[in-house]
Structure formats: structure tokens, C-alpha cells
Amino acid sequence: MLFAAPLLPGRLVRRYKRFLADVVLDDGTETTAQITTAHVANSGAMLGLDAPGSRVLLSRSLNPARKLALSWELVEADFGAGPEWVGVNTMHPNLLVAEAIAAGQVPPLSGYARMRREVKYGKASRVDIKLEDDSRPDCFVEVKNVHLMRAPGKAEFPDCVTARGAKHLEELAGEVAAGRRAVMVYISQIGSADSIALARDLDPGYGRAFDRARAAGVEAIGLACRITPEGIWVIRTVPMLG
């Protein structure tokens, strides 16, 4: 996934109300008049990623109807192996996974004839990706963005309590019970991740829902990305530690 235009560099002043961030762009100084507000497409806690003064990169929307023209895309963080860019925009993972599946980069999900996105299923839910083939059962794929790292190399999900995430696990288990295939894909927007684990201390309920879903036959796949100011790409699968 390439960004549509060069990203704008700046420094984070603060993130607040979950979906807003004040940023000083590199062409300005930190005065009230020169602080710009960007949209944050991330409802998580963003632990370790929202420190004031962090280097950030923003995209600019071409939609004149948008209230906030800028969106926070990347932040620079150091998890012990040196500074790296981390993707914080949770609107991208579905596209990234779809691109990777189409390119054959996710072997467990290869070989399906058709792919559809945002398909209704379960109890008033939508699955991120549905894979279809006349020769085998449909495959329901739910994608989760991973951007927490508390130990070098080990990315973790979730970074806060997610009742919605637990609900998705339960509904995927229902698809398996009905004879279909269901897969959770955890995609790390931290390039240095070499494994993905559950942050059970941050959301014990999600951990229990994950265990029930796995016991019911729901699969789990971990992916890691390469992140640069020019774009984001899935580059490898990584172990899911559970």
C-alpha cells in the first residue's frame, strides 16, 4: 500500500479524545496559532506511541468535505532496537491483508477463487474479508491491527479492553460450528515484530474469548509489515504465541 502523496512531518503535541491529535508541522514552531489538529483513526490506548514530542507523519485528504484534512499515519518509536516507524491508522490493515492474500503472501489463505470485503454475517456484524471457492467451504477472515510492543520483538494485542473484539471471536466460532472456516489475522504495524502475543493482563476477557474460539476451531495467523514514509506492506508471517 503506497500513500497517495508524500506525508507531512511534524512533532506530536498531544493526543486527546481518542480521535484527535495536536501536531506542530516541521515548517512551524510550537505556538498556539501554528498547532494543527489531525484525525486519529485509532480507538485504542496507543500505549508507548503517543508521547509528546514524538516524530509523526500525517497524510492530507483531498476530500474538501472533511472537517479535519490531516490524518495521523506514522509515529517514530524505539522498542529497544533503535527508532522505527509504526503505523497507527487502523483503517489500513484490512486493505493490507487483502493485498497480501491476493499476492499469495499468506499461504494459509491462498487458493480461493473469490474475495469479498465487509460482508454481513453473524448477528448484525460484518466480516472484514470473506474468501469463497466452489470446491471448499467459505472462509471468514477477521483482521486486527497490532501496534503495542512492551518487549523487543514481541507485538501484543489488544492494548486496551475490547468487548467488540471478543464478540468477533464468538461469531467466528459460530461459523466454524456451521461447517465453515474462520481465521483471525493479527497484523503488526511494527516492523520489528517477530511474534505476536495476547496482552492478557490488559484484557483478560479477550484472552478467555480467544481460548474458547481456538478450542472451537478458529485459526490465528500473525503478519508483520514493512513500514516506510512511502508506504506499508505485509512482508512475512510471524508466530502467534496466544
Side-chain angles (χ1 to χ4, degrees), residues 7 14 17 44 76 80 85 91 93 103 139 155 159 162 166 169 174 179 182 185 199 209 228 238:
L7 301 182
R14 60 170 181 153
K17 296 181 179 179
E76 188 179 64
W85 290 112
M91 300 299 290
C139 179
D159 70 348
T162 172
L169 288 167
V185 174
T228 76
V238 295

Side-chain angles (χ1 to χ4, degrees), residues 142-162:
E142 188 69 35
V143 179
K144 295 299 179 188
N145 184 70
V146 182
H147 52 257
L148 171 65
M149 184 175 283
R150 295 181 289 181
K154 186 173 79 171
E156 297 179 86
F157 181 89
D159 70 348
C160 62
V161 174
T162 172

